[in-house]
Amino acid sequence: MSAHKPGGPRPGLGVAMIGYAFMGAAHSQGWRNAHRFFDLPVRPEMNVICGRTESATRAAADKLGWADWTTDWRRVLDRDDVQVVDICTPGDTHAEIALAALEAGKHVLCEKPLANTVAEAEEMTAAAEAAQGRGVLSSVGFNYRRTPALAYARRLVEEGAVGTVRHIRAHYLQDWIVDPEFPLVWRLQKDKAGSGALGDIGAHVVDLSQFLTGQRLTEVSGHLTRFVERRPLAQETSGLSASGGAETGEVTVDDAAVFFGRTDGGALATYEATRFATGRKNAMRIELNGSAGGIAFDFESMNELHVYDGTAHPRDAGFRRILVTEPDHPYTGAWWPPGHGLGYEHTFVHEIADFVRDVAAGTPPTPSFADGLQVQRVLDAVERSSAAGAGWTAV
Ligand code: SOE
């Protein structure tokens, strides 16, 4: 990668993606578009995509815009036209691929949750920190940090808009497995996914609450539940939709998790992560209440942020709805005129743009693997607490 001369063609940054399903498609959208909307010093080159099944991988390469494909992820590590490996596979393969990629000198972007266990996440973090010393960078894909309204909320909290944070109230509500006939996809199998609603969507709200407040959970108390014990074996899957056959298998992860915790900044935090919130599709909601005000967000209305100024005269008090689409809000200036709004996919474009900029500058990107490990420790503490009857458990 050489320096970008103003007016000259931008140097390329060769990318390999491992995985091509829901997250692969979402990240591909980022790789395709980041340099078209953001002024990046290098231009991502979508050189190779990898999947397990030849026909599906070839079709994904064509559909998602990758120049080449392979069914062996190790082969991408030998390629000189690959500087970045983007891991979009289920959690059981994150550690092995990330460790090998870092060892091969490739920058790594890894989907969340970082790993399936704390031990794996620790090994990955140690490897990432060693690799950073050699100029090899890594990041974990908590994409919601790149929602403009949430990036703006972070800025407001830093500027003191909520004062001392007392409450964090975070929910992640989905309903895609309410039907007991919905099949046993990989997200419902502990050996592949690590955990269920807790790790898949609870991880997002744990990360976000810590990102927004700059505080870390130190102890938690939690309870996990499974409502449906067996499901039809999956025959065909695509993203979150799938069909099942007559045979059934055991669900080995949680369907829902409720937990609360205390932070190192003295806040009390409550969380709910569930795939059984009938009627809620992707309601990732977070509210902060502090000594000077409050902030509230719901991803189902992702272009809006609700802000309460507790210092205003009570006569004028009330949550204000801010449409986060102005050119000086985070990320939005690269897109459409005010009010035209962004969607889920844009969070991935922003994630890739930030990652590419950091890699080009040699700046360690955030969230780091260490941040991913910390979230993993919280998830693990929630599981331990639940197993032990929901008592306070140190993170
Ligand atoms: C499925 O629950 C899922 O796709 C998660 O895996 C993602 O991380 C979340 O963004 C949307 O829901």
Side-chain angles (χ1 to χ4, degrees):
M1 209 167 49
S2 54
H4 176 209
K5 294 185 201 70
R10 284 181 279 188
L13 178 73
V15 184
M17 173 175 284
I18 321 293
Y20 55 78
F22 182 9
M23 279 308 113
H27 282 222
S28 295
Q29 178 75 343
W31 291 115
R32 274 196 309 270
N33 284 316
H35 65 285
R36 298 180 200 276
F37 287 86
F38 292 87
D39 186 20
L40 302 180
V42 295
R43 184 182 197 284
E45 287 171 356
M46 299 169 69
N47 287 339
V48 56
I49 189 169
C50 176
R52 275 173 308 182
T53 319
E54 185 176 320
S55 57
T57 309
R58 192 185 308 128
D62 184 45
K63 186 173 175 193
L64 302 176
W66 295 86
D68 194 5
W69 60 272
T70 174
T71 54
D72 180 358
W73 63 263
R74 287 176 197 281
R75 292 194 42 200
V76 312
L77 306 184
D78 301 331
R79 290 176 62 142
D80 292 337
D81 67 346
V82 170
Q83 283 90 49
V84 172
V85 174
D86 183 4
I87 304 171
C88 294
T89 52
D92 61 334
T93 53
H94 287 186
E96 189 185 12
I97 300 173
L99 292 172
L102 291 168
E103 181 63 32
K106 311 296 184 191
H107 307 293
V108 174
L109 177 60
C110 182
E111 247 313 300
K112 49 50 66 177
L114 182 60
N116 278 3
T117 64
V118 169
E120 285 172 347
E122 281 173 347
E123 200 182 347
M124 292 166 80
T125 302
E129 285 170 357
Q132 197 175 302
R134 306 190 298 270
V136 177
L137 303 175
S138 50
S139 184
V140 58
F142 283 114
N143 60 300
Y144 290 119
R145 287 187 180 205
R146 270 73 191 194
T147 307
L150 289 172
Y152 185 51
R154 168 73 188 136
R155 198 189 285 173
L156 292 179
V157 173
E158 274 176 327
E159 288 168 4
V162 299
T164 304
V165 181
R166 309 277 193 225
H167 284 291
I168 298 167
R169 199 167 297 104
H171 299 164
Y172 201 144
L173 313 175
Q174 296 183 337
D175 72 351
W176 54 279
I177 57 170
V178 167
D179 180 357
E181 293 305 311
F182 187 91
L184 190 63
V185 295
W186 70 264
R187 279 187 165 82
L188 308 183
Q189 300 169 39
K190 189 172 177 61
D191 58 339
K192 299 203 175 59
S195 67
L198 177 67
D200 184 28
I201 52 180
H204 278 303
V205 279
V206 168
D207 177 65
L208 272 177
S209 60
Q210 299 188 130
F211 166 69
L212 290 179
T213 60
Q215 299 181 19
R216 296 206 147 188
L217 287 158
T218 53
E219 53 182 344
V220 292
S221 166
H223 184 75
L224 306 183
T225 292
R226 182 156 56 239
F227 299 113
V228 175
E229 296 292 339
R230 298 189 71 80
R231 290 180 177 273
L233 295 182
Q235 290 187 318
E236 228 181 275
T237 60
S238 143
L240 295 184
S241 59
S243 60
E247 264 187 275
T248 66
E250 194 188 348
V251 177
T252 45
V253 298
D254 54 285
D255 284 331
V258 290
F259 52 105
F260 49 95
R262 283 196 261 259
T263 69
D264 52 7
L268 191 59
T270 58
Y271 299 87
E272 185 180 359
T274 175
R275 294 161 166 169
F276 275 77
T278 312
R280 303 296 176 200
K281 304 300 169 186
N282 205 46
M284 197 267 287
R285 300 167 173 183
I286 188 153
E287 179 164 320
L288 305 179
N289 311 114
S291 55
I295 281 185
F297 171 84
D298 181 347
F299 194 80
E300 288 187 349
S301 303
M302 65 168 281
N303 292 290
E304 297 174 12
L305 186 67
H306 295 258
V307 180
Y308 181 86
D309 178 3
T311 64
H313 192 283
R315 192 183 49 229
D316 303 315
F319 273 91
R320 274 183 305 125
R321 169 185 167 273
I322 300 175
L323 196 56
V324 187
T325 59
E326 293 298 317
D328 51 355
H329 282 133
Y331 303 108
T332 45
W335 297 98
W336 318 119
H340 288 63
L342 302 188
Y344 175 65
E345 69 190 55
H346 294 88
T347 65
F348 294 95
V349 182
H350 303 163
E351 176 178 303
I352 303 289
D354 287 345
F355 182 77
V356 166
R357 218 181 264 125
D358 285 339
V359 164
T363 308
T366 57
S368 63
F369 275 20
D371 294 324
L373 166 61
Q374 201 274 340
V375 171
Q376 206 76 42
R377 288 193 169 126
V378 173
L379 304 179
D380 182 70
V382 172
E383 288 202 89
R384 285 187 286 119
S385 166
S386 178
W392 280 113
T393 305
V395 168

